Amino acid sequence: MFGVRFLKTQPTQYVIRYRNGQRVSAGTGLSFFYFAPATSLVVVPTASGDSPFIFEETTADWQMVSIQGQLTWRIVQPERIAELMDFTLNAAGRYASEDPQKLPQRLLDRLQASLKTEIRALPLGQALAAGDALAARVGGSLGADPVVTALGLEILGFSILAIKPKPETARALEAEAREALLKRADEAIYARRNAAVEQERAIKENELRTEIAVQVKRQEIAEADMVGRIALEEKNARLVELATANARQEAEAKAHGIEALMRAAASVDPRVLEALATSGMRPEQTIAAAFRDLAGNAGKIGQLNVSPDLLGELLGRPQPA
């Protein structure tokens, strides 16, 4: 009525009211009547806003990647941004310019510039795995960006949800990764077989060392036995030498006794020796000695008759009837 209107704002809206070019009031969540023909209203939203994005950038090795994420921000200095951008309401209660809609795009442009600098410094492999580190660096640099601070903005959060290569590049990377996995599997099989061979070789070496130790022990036992036998043979040889020496001494003693006896007998009359020899003989021995003497004197005897009866009587045998 007559150009008087009522405005009620939310606690997340900062309102600056101008009347005839002069600032009248400012604050959040204000409610008031105003005269529309003479009043200008600037409403700056202070609630946080989310700006999703998808950028395509080129890596250091000239590979195209798609970067998907989200930026969360809010206006912390509404009066400063009101001086740089137009947040004035028109008569219909809508923004009179497109500046409020352009603000998220300005932020995304600054974000894309920072991401482009970072991505171009990384090869494809590192870029695909650098999501968290990239988000930390870019988020920090964006919060200190001169344009962002000049507009009175605060970066509440920045996250990179995905970094994807082109489909054909992804297939090539999948093939490379698959080949690398297969290679590692082959290396694992080779390592396992090599370990088995090494264990078998160690077992064989232990067996050979055991056999060598057994052979050495047997050789030591044989050498000890041989040393014992040699010592025994040496003792036997010494015993034989002692026995031989004793026998020699006994023979020499007997020979010495016989030699003394022979020397003593050499000075005795042979007939005395003969008489001594025949003493103690049996009759048959005596008769045998007599016949020997007869045989020795056969040349002196003309004829000698010995009948069987005489011989029997001499021998003391009974005569047949």
Short mmCIF file of all heavy atoms in Angstrom, two decimals, residues 237-252:
data_model
loop_
_atom_site.label_atom_id
_atom_site.label_comp_id
_atom_site.label_asym_id
_atom_site.label_seq_id
_atom_site.Cartn_x
_atom_site.Cartn_y
_atom_site.Cartn_z
N ALA A 237 106.07 -108.86 19.00
CA ALA A 237 107.44 -108.94 18.47
C ALA A 237 108.47 -108.87 19.60
O ALA A 237 109.47 -109.60 19.61
CB ALA A 237 107.67 -107.83 17.45
N ARG A 238 108.17 -108.01 20.54
CA ARG A 238 109.09 -107.90 21.67
C ARG A 238 109.10 -109.19 22.48
O ARG A 238 110.15 -109.65 22.95
CB ARG A 238 108.67 -106.72 22.55
CG ARG A 238 109.68 -106.38 23.63
CD ARG A 238 109.26 -105.12 24.33
NE ARG A 238 110.18 -104.75 25.38
CZ ARG A 238 110.03 -103.73 26.21
NH1 ARG A 238 108.94 -102.95 26.08
NH2 ARG A 238 110.93 -103.47 27.13
N LEU A 239 107.88 -109.79 22.62
CA LEU A 239 107.78 -111.05 23.35
C LEU A 239 108.54 -112.15 22.62
O LEU A 239 109.25 -112.97 23.25
CB LEU A 239 106.30 -111.43 23.51
CG LEU A 239 106.02 -112.74 24.26
CD1 LEU A 239 106.57 -112.67 25.68
CD2 LEU A 239 104.52 -113.03 24.27
N VAL A 240 108.40 -112.18 21.26
CA VAL A 240 109.13 -113.19 20.47
C VAL A 240 110.63 -112.98 20.61
O VAL A 240 111.41 -113.95 20.74
CB VAL A 240 108.69 -113.12 19.00
CG1 VAL A 240 109.60 -113.99 18.13
CG2 VAL A 240 107.25 -113.59 18.87
N GLU A 241 111.03 -111.71 20.57
CA GLU A 241 112.46 -111.42 20.73
C GLU A 241 112.95 -111.92 22.09
O GLU A 241 114.03 -112.54 22.21
CB GLU A 241 112.71 -109.93 20.60
CG GLU A 241 112.53 -109.41 19.17
CD GLU A 241 112.75 -107.92 19.11
OE1 GLU A 241 113.00 -107.32 20.17
OE2 GLU A 241 112.66 -107.36 17.99
N LEU A 242 112.14 -111.68 23.12
CA LEU A 242 112.54 -112.13 24.46
C LEU A 242 112.57 -113.67 24.52
O LEU A 242 113.50 -114.26 25.11
CB LEU A 242 111.57 -111.58 25.51
CG LEU A 242 111.61 -110.05 25.72
CD1 LEU A 242 110.52 -109.62 26.69
CD2 LEU A 242 112.98 -109.63 26.25
N ALA A 243 111.51 -114.32 23.88
CA ALA A 243 111.48 -115.79 23.88
C ALA A 243 112.67 -116.36 23.11
O ALA A 243 113.30 -117.35 23.52
CB ALA A 243 110.17 -116.28 23.30
N THR A 244 112.98 -115.72 21.97
CA THR A 244 114.12 -116.18 21.16
C THR A 244 115.42 -116.02 21.94
O THR A 244 116.30 -116.90 21.93
CB THR A 244 114.17 -115.39 19.85
OG1 THR A 244 112.92 -115.55 19.16
CG2 THR A 244 115.30 -115.87 18.97
N ALA A 245 115.51 -114.88 22.61
CA ALA A 245 116.74 -114.66 23.40
C ALA A 245 116.85 -115.68 24.52
O ALA A 245 117.93 -116.23 24.78
CB ALA A 245 116.72 -113.24 23.95
N ASN A 246 115.71 -115.97 25.15
CA ASN A 246 115.73 -116.97 26.22
C ASN A 246 116.09 -118.35 25.68
O ASN A 246 116.88 -119.10 26.28
CB ASN A 246 114.37 -117.00 26.93
CG ASN A 246 114.10 -115.72 27.71
OD1 ASN A 246 115.04 -115.04 28.12
ND2 ASN A 246 112.84 -115.41 27.93
N ALA A 247 115.47 -118.72 24.50
CA ALA A 247 115.78 -120.03 23.90
C ALA A 247 117.24 -120.11 23.50
O ALA A 247 117.90 -121.16 23.66
CB ALA A 247 114.87 -120.27 22.70
N ARG A 248 117.74 -118.97 22.97
CA ARG A 248 119.14 -118.95 22.58
C ARG A 248 120.04 -119.15 23.80
O ARG A 248 121.03 -119.90 23.77
CB ARG A 248 119.47 -117.65 21.87
CG ARG A 248 120.90 -117.60 21.30
CD ARG A 248 121.19 -116.27 20.65
NE ARG A 248 120.30 -116.00 19.56
CZ ARG A 248 119.38 -115.05 19.56
NH1 ARG A 248 119.24 -114.29 20.64
NH2 ARG A 248 118.60 -114.87 18.53
N GLN A 249 119.67 -118.45 24.85
CA GLN A 249 120.47 -118.60 26.06
C GLN A 249 120.39 -120.03 26.61
O GLN A 249 121.39 -120.61 27.04
CB GLN A 249 119.98 -117.61 27.12
CG GLN A 249 120.31 -116.16 26.79
CD GLN A 249 119.78 -115.20 27.83
OE1 GLN A 249 119.17 -115.64 28.82
NE2 GLN A 249 120.05 -113.92 27.62
N GLU A 250 119.17 -120.64 26.56
CA GLU A 250 119.04 -122.03 27.02
C GLU A 250 119.85 -122.98 26.15
O GLU A 250 120.53 -123.91 26.65
CB GLU A 250 117.57 -122.44 27.03
CG GLU A 250 116.75 -121.72 28.09
CD GLU A 250 115.29 -122.13 28.04
OE1 GLU A 250 114.94 -122.97 27.16
OE2 GLU A 250 114.50 -121.63 28.86
N ALA A 251 119.78 -122.77 24.79
CA ALA A 251 120.54 -123.64 23.87
C ALA A 251 122.03 -123.48 24.11
O ALA A 251 122.79 -124.46 24.09
CB ALA A 251 120.18 -123.29 22.43
N GLU A 252 122.41 -122.20 24.31
CA GLU A 252 123.84 -121.97 24.56
C GLU A 252 124.25 -122.66 25.86
O GLU A 252 125.36 -123.24 25.96
CB GLU A 252 124.12 -120.47 24.64
CG GLU A 252 124.01 -119.78 23.28
CD GLU A 252 124.22 -118.29 23.41
OE1 GLU A 252 124.35 -117.80 24.56
OE2 GLU A 252 124.25 -117.59 22.36
#
